[in-house]
Structure formats: C-alpha cells, structure tokens
C-alpha cells in the first residue's frame, strides 16, 4: 500500500509540474525572473491580458524605474493568498491575488502584490505592484 501511495504522489507531482503547477509556485517562479532582472522574459511569461495592457518596452521601463533601484531581495514571505472569480477591469475568470512581505537591499519593508490568471490553463501573471 505504501508503494502505491508513493507512486501516486510521484504521478500527481509530475502532472502538476507539467501543467503549470500551483498558483503559488508559478508566482515564485515569475518573481524569481523579475529578481534576476530578466524583465523582458517576465513579460514573455505573463498572461495575454497583461501583454495587451502594457508593451514589453513599457514594462521594462517601469521595472527599471521602480524595481531595479530596490536591489536584491533579502527576504520574501507570503502574507495572503486569495482566489477571485472577478477583478475590477478584468474579464471574469479564475484569479489568484498573492501578497508578500518583502525586504529588499534598499527598502526594508514593502508589500508586493502579484495577480495571476488561469485563463490560458496555466497560472500566469496579469498584475504586479510594489508598495
């Protein structure tokens, strides 16, 4: 019985990984791209709704002006995670809004808010804000 449970766990884990993973995992992966300064790549890996709202050049300019001066991430911990079926200014769908308490090299206390959509079948970013 234990062997069957282990095999099922591996199959489920492989399925989740192959199909975009969970929202929180997708969020962490996307934030790591931003943390590495790969702003064009983060735009490429965002949801189509995000790309319609903001060109890649404007996205890179925004992050170079706001995110880059903060420096490297010292710590990031999840404060909240909430599912929504609708958000202001967005079509109805499946959304996940995650807030993180983040300490950057040049800003000790900030809140990052990342909104993900599953409209494509995978969790992809549709919004990112830093306070």
């Amino acid at each position: 019985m234990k062997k069957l449970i282990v095999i099922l766990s591996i199959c489920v884990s492989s399925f989740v990984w192959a199909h975009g993973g969970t929202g929180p995992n997708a969020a962490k992966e996307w934030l790591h791209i931003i943390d590495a300064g790969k702003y064009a790549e983060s735009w490429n890996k965002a949801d189509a709704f995000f790309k319609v709202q903001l060109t890649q050049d404007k996205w890179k300019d925004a992050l170079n002006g706001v995110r880059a001066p903060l420096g490297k991430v010292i710590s990031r911990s999840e404060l909240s995670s909430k599912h929504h079926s609708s958000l202001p200014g967005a079509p109805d769908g499946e959304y996940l809004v995650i807030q993180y308490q983040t300490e950057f090299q040049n800003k000790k206390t900030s809140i990052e808010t990342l909104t993900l959509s599953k409209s494509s079948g995978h969790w992809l970013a549709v919004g990112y804000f830093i306070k």
Side-chain angles (χ1 to χ4, degrees), residues 12-29:
V12 168
S13 295
S14 297
F15 178 82
V16 168
W17 180 83
H19 292 86
T22 66
N25 286 340
K28 287 177 189 173
E29 290 171 15

Side-chain angles (χ1 to χ4, degrees), residues 5-72:
I5 291 171
V6 169
I7 291 171
L8 285 174
S9 293
I10 291 170
C11 289
V12 168
S13 295
S14 297
F15 178 82
V16 168
W17 180 83
H19 292 86
T22 66
N25 286 340
K28 287 177 189 173
E29 290 171 15
W30 195 78
L31 288 171
H32 287 307
I33 294 169
I34 299 258
D35 295 342
K38 299 177 182 177
Y39 303 150
E41 183 179 340
S42 70
W43 187 88
N44 287 328
K45 294 190 176 192
D47 188 83
F49 182 74
F50 180 92
K51 294 175 184 176
V52 168
Q53 307 301 313
L54 193 64
T55 67
Q56 186 178 50
D57 286 339
K58 286 185 180 181
W59 175 242
K60 289 186 333 188
D61 289 346
L63 288 179
N64 278 319
V66 176
R67 174 59 182 85
L70 299 176
K72 72 177 204 168

Side-chain angles (χ1 to χ4, degrees), residues 49 82-87 90-97 115-119 123 126:
F49 182 74
K82 187 171 181 186
H83 286 270
H84 298 270
S85 59
S86 65
L87 293 173
D92 288 349
E94 190 175 354
Y95 296 96
L96 180 61
V97 178
T115 303
L116 303 169
S117 169
K118 201 169 184 185
S119 66
W123 287 109
V126 293

Side-chain angles (χ1 to χ4, degrees), residues 96-115:
L96 180 61
V97 178
I98 306 173
Q99 289 196 313
Y100 299 92
Q101 176 77 50
T102 307
E103 179 183 348
F104 294 100
Q105 181 180 1
N106 301 320
K107 183 171 170 82
K108 297 300 175 198
T109 304
S110 64
I111 304 290
E112 290 179 291
T113 302
L114 176 58
T115 303

